[in-house]
Amino acid sequence: MIKNSDITVVVQGPVVASPDRAMDEGITEKCLTSVRHHLPGAHVILSTWQGQPVEGLDYDELLLNEDPGSNITEYTADGKPDASNNNRQIVSSREGLKRVKTPYAMKLRSDNYLVGDQFKFLQASFPERCEEDRFLSERVVVNNTFTRAYARSRRVALHMCDFFYFGRTEDVRALWGMSNLPDLAYDQTRNGQKQYWGAPHYKIDCTQKLLLVALQQYDASLNVEHLHDAPDDLIARSERIYANNFVIGEPELIGLGLCSKFGPQERANRLSGRLTYVNFDDWQVLYKTYCDAEFPLGMAPLRIRKRNFLRAFLLAAKLLEEALKRLKKKA
């Protein structure tokens, strides 16, 4: 059993909404209160920005980072830059994790919260490892929301959620120890065309980009060029990396609560969205496949078969919809 006193929770991100990022009113206070309730005795670091209203919030340690601002990830066809908050997440996570002194650490977004402590049991419940693609000292528990097996109706690799990480401090720190991402340089020769990482294919997802940068410290040859860069050998590596270094589970399974924009009625949690995710049943199959051939799956295969039937129907409908859109454009 992992003791609460051996855990530091890094709550990272803004305290209040900014013009480009909506937040539930009082969500960071709710986040911090939930940590105190579900992990009494854990150390809490709030890693946010200079100028944020932190008065009255319950934390043990406060880190007021200089806001790095957003980073340019694409340009429209007329050359207008579009930016993302990747570097804000990197800085608040990285700098907070640098201060952790306990054996275990959690990276928790300031607009999410805890509903339990199941992640402690999950992190310690799967001891077997294989040698290939074994990067971390122990497994790190992550949320399955946006941890996709499919995106835009096609297979994807290394598409793992960045909301929640729990594991050995050295592992979580390594996964969030990357440098800030550079702005995408504008190519004057491609004026009149959209520019982004992965063009002209679908843009590489930010979750792919962050995980890829983290894993390249272990294997510099690992790469994903665009969203659907997923040949069979890379899919196999992606699955083995998931099985060997992480535990992937639904929010309620790991003890995570999501803010309202990821609530039950939002697109992320509709059936059509959830069918594209890697869930805990899927992960257990990967664990059995790559790490522990004797692991009992129980009813997981039956649930997976039912889910795959629905998934196949959904993907076929989406592919048909995309084909009709292309025909309409040509017409």
Side-chain angles (χ1 to χ4, degrees):
M1 173 66 71
I2 299 170
K3 296 186 295 185
N4 291 345
S5 58
D6 285 337
I7 299 171
T8 295
V9 179
V10 176
V11 174
Q12 56 82 208
V15 173
V16 296
S18 59
D20 60 342
R21 179 182 177 180
M23 291 177 69
D24 298 348
E25 186 71 25
I27 189 66
T28 303
E29 181 179 7
K30 180 178 181 178
C31 172
L32 293 165
T33 300
S34 75
V35 174
R36 295 300 195 198
H37 177 72
H38 292 288
L39 293 177
H43 190 74
V44 180
I45 298 175
L46 176 59
S47 181
T48 186
W49 311 117
Q50 296 173 3
Q52 288 285 296
V54 298
E55 296 81 7
L57 296 179
D58 186 7
Y59 52 79
D60 296 307
E61 195 171 343
L62 176 65
L63 180 57
L64 296 175
N65 302 284
E66 183 178 348
D67 187 351
S70 53
N71 58 299
I72 298 172
T73 55
E74 63 181 285
Y75 296 89
T76 61
D78 59 1
K80 182 180 178 181
D82 190 18
S84 299
N85 286 323
N86 298 322
N87 285 342
R88 286 178 169 141
Q89 179 167 206
I90 290 171
V91 168
S92 57
S93 300
R94 180 186 68 211
E95 298 307 311
L97 288 164
K98 283 181 180 178
R99 297 194 173 201
V100 175
K101 298 179 177 65
T102 53
Y104 290 89
M106 178 192 301
K107 171 238 185 281
L108 179 64
R109 278 173 51 142
S110 60
D111 61 353
N112 290 327
Y113 52 95
L114 299 183
V115 295
D117 65 351
Q118 300 95 306
F119 48 85
K120 293 194 299 184
F121 301 92
L122 288 169
Q123 196 275 341
S125 295
F126 302 94
E128 301 303 321
R129 311 282 294 275
C130 66
E131 289 306 314
E132 195 172 3
D133 290 322
R134 178 175 177 169
F135 299 139
L136 306 181
S137 66
E138 295 181 9
R139 286 186 173 81
V140 169
V141 180
V142 298
N143 171 37
N144 89 313
T145 308
F146 301 123
T147 300
R148 295 188 187 274
Y150 292 84
R152 293 186 177 270
S153 308
R154 294 174 177 82
R155 288 299 306 268
V156 290
L158 299 174
H159 197 304
M160 196 171 74
C161 182
D162 54 12
F163 290 179
F164 173 97
Y165 281 51
F166 173 76
R168 294 289 302 186
T169 296
E170 63 200 80
D171 296 326
V172 181
R173 185 182 286 147
L175 290 167
W176 286 96
M178 72 277 282
S179 300
N180 292 7
L181 299 181
D183 288 336
L184 179 68
Y186 184 71
D187 185 349
Q188 298 285 352
T189 67
R190 298 183 62 81
N191 186 35
Q193 302 177 57
K194 287 188 71 172
Q195 298 180 32
Y196 51 85
W197 288 317
H201 305 281
Y202 281 119
K203 179 182 178 182
I204 186 172
D205 189 84
C206 64
T207 61
Q208 290 176 298
K209 186 72 173 178
L210 291 170
L211 181 61
L212 185 64
V213 171
L215 295 179
Q216 283 174 336
Q217 66 182 300
Y218 303 106
D219 183 351
S221 69
L222 196 62
N223 198 27
V224 177
E225 296 287 349
H226 55 83
L227 178 65
H228 292 134
D229 182 12
D232 290 346
D233 60 336
L234 184 56
I235 288 293
R237 285 205 72 185
S238 180
E239 291 179 343
R240 187 165 53 244
I241 288 168
Y242 287 171
N244 216 20
N245 299 280
F246 300 95
V247 179
I248 299 169
E250 292 84 335
E252 62 276 10
L253 180 75
I254 66 176
L256 178 65
L258 304 181
C259 57
S260 61
K261 68 180 177 181
F262 304 120
Q265 303 307 315
E266 300 300 321
R267 185 177 63 168
N269 273 321
R270 293 174 188 165
L271 179 62
S272 58
R274 287 184 283 112
L275 286 172
T276 68
Y277 301 159
V278 178
N279 68 11
F280 185 57
D281 283 341
D282 298 323
W283 182 83
Q284 289 181 98
V285 170
L286 297 181
Y287 176 73
K288 182 180 180 70
T289 301
Y290 293 104
C291 302
D292 184 1
E294 302 303 316
F295 181 74
L297 290 173
M299 297 296 290
L302 178 60
R303 291 192 294 265
I304 289 172
R305 283 197 293 271
K306 290 180 178 179
R307 193 159 157 268
N308 284 344
F309 176 80
L310 292 173
R311 177 187 278 171
F313 180 80
L314 169 69
L315 294 175
K318 290 287 188 182
L319 287 170
L320 178 60
E321 181 183 349
E322 288 185 9
L324 291 173
K325 285 181 180 178
R326 286 195 295 270
L327 287 174
K328 186 176 181 180
K329 283 184 180 180
K330 287 181 180 179

